[in-house]
Amino acid sequence: MSETQERPPRHQPFTPAFLADIRSRTPLAALIARDVRLTRAGRLWTGCCPFHGEKRPSFYVYPDHYHCFGCGAHGDAIKYLTMAHNMRFPDAVEDLAREAGLMPASATPSAPRKPLAPLLPPEPDDAPQRRDAAWAIYRDAQPSILDTPVEAYLKNRRIDVRSLPRVPRALRFHPNLYHSESRMSFPAMVAAIDNGAGRHLATHRTWLEYAGGAWIKARLPAGMKNKMVLGTFPGGSIRLARGASGKSLAQAPAGETVVIGEGIETCLSVALALPELRVLSGVSGGAMGGVELPPQIGMVVLLIDNDTKPEAIAAKARIVDRWIQRGFNVRIARSPHGNDFNDCLTGG
């Protein structure tokens, strides 16, 4: 469509060519960046999803669409305006068309805005390098957590890994792992985050220290995190328990039930209580809705913290809806009010 071609009058439908022209002319990341703080993720952009509450980003912006691996939100520039700004479809089209120069600014009552400019081009894709670095940390860690500070830390959380049918192979011990924020090194629990095919995507790190006669999470200055992930992990999970079958996730028996929670400690606590079930950590609340599972899985049980805050309830509801939309039979297990599942063991 040429620069001078205008959209049909309001009483006529928008043509597919006109809509395609709008989409191609709209820098999607720049549009979403008006509302969401985006950061580079290789050649893509990522941020916390504007459609559900989350602390760790699971919202990705591609050149022609956005997708949230937490709640399943998906769409193009027009869909974004209708969902994020509660705009009617015709109004969203006209808003974008005006900014793209496809119709006069006076055609609608809205005041014209400065045309969207693309965000700076993404930096060279460093995802392979980050993935390699994450794998190197996991590869160089001690394969068994038995008789290490990791086992002692978990035992201090009332998690006796020797009571499990199998010690989780996804967990390893690193004796001296660098912490970039503090510029110090600590012992650490590291965990492999794999996709549905078993490919290593990222490494989860929990830094530890010995204090008060026990191994605990490292106490760091305010604002510094003692848990971080290196790498991006859409669809990934930490495989903590294989359940009664003892088989890999890809070879899970037909109709098997899978339990999915957020944190490692939460999921291990449930694996102790229900050793017959397969248990995966989705790493973050937002990412729980996008964990990749083989098609033969019959039921998904979601471990949901019993938080009464409206925004938390809405976020969890979107995660449940996401699994239902994916065609899985879903059940919810709620922790006692004000506690997570590990608190049930520790008395926290």
Side-chain angles (χ1 to χ4, degrees):
M1 182 173 287
S2 68
E3 286 284 340
T4 58
Q5 190 171 358
E6 298 181 4
R7 91 152 178 88
R10 293 181 69 92
H11 65 276
Q12 296 183 9
F14 298 107
T15 65
F18 182 75
L19 296 176
D21 202 10
I22 288 175
R23 294 183 180 104
S24 68
R25 291 170 183 261
T26 300
L28 182 57
L31 176 68
I32 295 175
R34 286 175 168 171
D35 307 316
V36 180
R37 183 178 179 181
L38 297 176
T39 57
R40 301 178 196 274
R43 298 186 184 278
L44 308 179
W45 298 88
T46 186
C48 290
C49 180
F51 303 111
H52 80 285
E54 62 178 5
K55 296 180 180 179
R56 296 180 181 176
S58 60
F59 181 81
Y60 285 78
V61 183
Y62 299 78
D64 61 349
H65 72 280
Y66 61 85
H67 183 80
C68 177
F69 288 89
C71 70
H74 182 98
D76 57 18
I78 301 171
K79 179 70 174 293
Y80 179 78
L81 288 184
T82 64
M83 298 296 293
H85 292 259
N86 198 29
M87 296 178 68
R88 297 187 313 114
F89 181 85
D91 295 334
V93 172
E94 289 184 352
D95 189 74
L96 293 174
R98 187 171 62 253
E99 292 192 289
L102 296 176
M103 59 189 303
S106 60
T108 65
S110 303
R113 293 184 294 184
K114 182 179 180 180
L116 283 166
L119 295 180
L120 292 175
E123 295 172 343
D125 189 357
D126 65 349
Q129 290 81 6
R130 291 175 63 81
R131 186 167 56 246
D132 289 346
W135 168 247
I137 289 173
Y138 183 73
R139 178 199 62 207
D140 295 342
Q142 185 173 316
S144 174
I145 62 172
L146 296 180
D147 300 315
T148 71
V150 172
E151 181 184 14
Y153 160 72
L154 292 173
K155 196 166 186 177
N156 190 43
R157 300 292 298 267
R158 302 295 188 271
I159 298 169
D160 182 0
V161 294
R162 296 175 188 258
S163 296
L164 294 168
R166 301 168 189 82
V167 177
R169 294 174 59 186
L171 301 182
R172 293 188 173 188
F173 168 61
H174 198 296
N176 195 41
L177 184 60
Y178 184 69
H179 183 269
S180 59
E181 292 180 338
S182 66
R183 299 183 180 180
M184 298 175 63
S185 295
F186 302 87
M189 175 173 68
V190 298
I193 305 175
D194 296 340
N195 66 7
R199 180 190 180 194
H200 188 276
L201 300 177
T203 297
H204 185 283
R205 300 157 294 168
T206 304
W207 283 272
L208 308 173
E209 70 168 298
Y210 190 76
W215 282 96
I216 62 174
K217 290 177 185 174
R219 296 169 298 179
L220 300 171
M224 294 186 184
K225 302 175 182 177
N226 52 24
K227 296 193 299 183
M228 288 192 283
V229 173
L230 178 59
T232 55
F233 55 96
S237 64
I238 302 172
R239 303 175 185 189
L240 295 173
R242 292 190 172 193
S245 76
K247 296 183 177 180
S248 68
L249 180 60
Q251 297 176 336
E256 186 181 63
T257 295
V258 172
V259 178
I260 300 177
E262 183 174 350
I264 293 172
E265 296 85 353
T266 285
C267 293
L268 286 175
S269 299
V270 172
L272 278 172
L274 300 168
E276 72 276 11
L277 295 180
R278 185 181 299 275
V279 182
L280 311 176
S281 164
V283 185
S284 71
M288 280 176 59
V291 172
E292 293 180 355
L293 295 179
Q296 70 267 27
I297 296 300
M299 180 183 294
V300 173
V301 178
L302 300 175
L303 304 178
I304 303 294
D305 291 342
N306 200 352
D307 193 331
T308 58
K309 295 178 181 179
E311 61 271 20
I313 294 174
K316 297 299 189 292
R318 292 190 184 99
I319 293 172
V320 174
D321 288 342
R322 170 66 172 142
W323 281 103
I324 293 173
Q325 292 168 8
R326 292 172 63 183
F328 286 91
N329 186 5
V330 181
R331 295 290 184 271
I332 299 173
R334 295 189 182 276
S335 63
H337 175 61
N339 296 303
D340 63 25
F341 288 88
N342 184 241
D343 292 332
C344 299
L345 296 181
T346 62

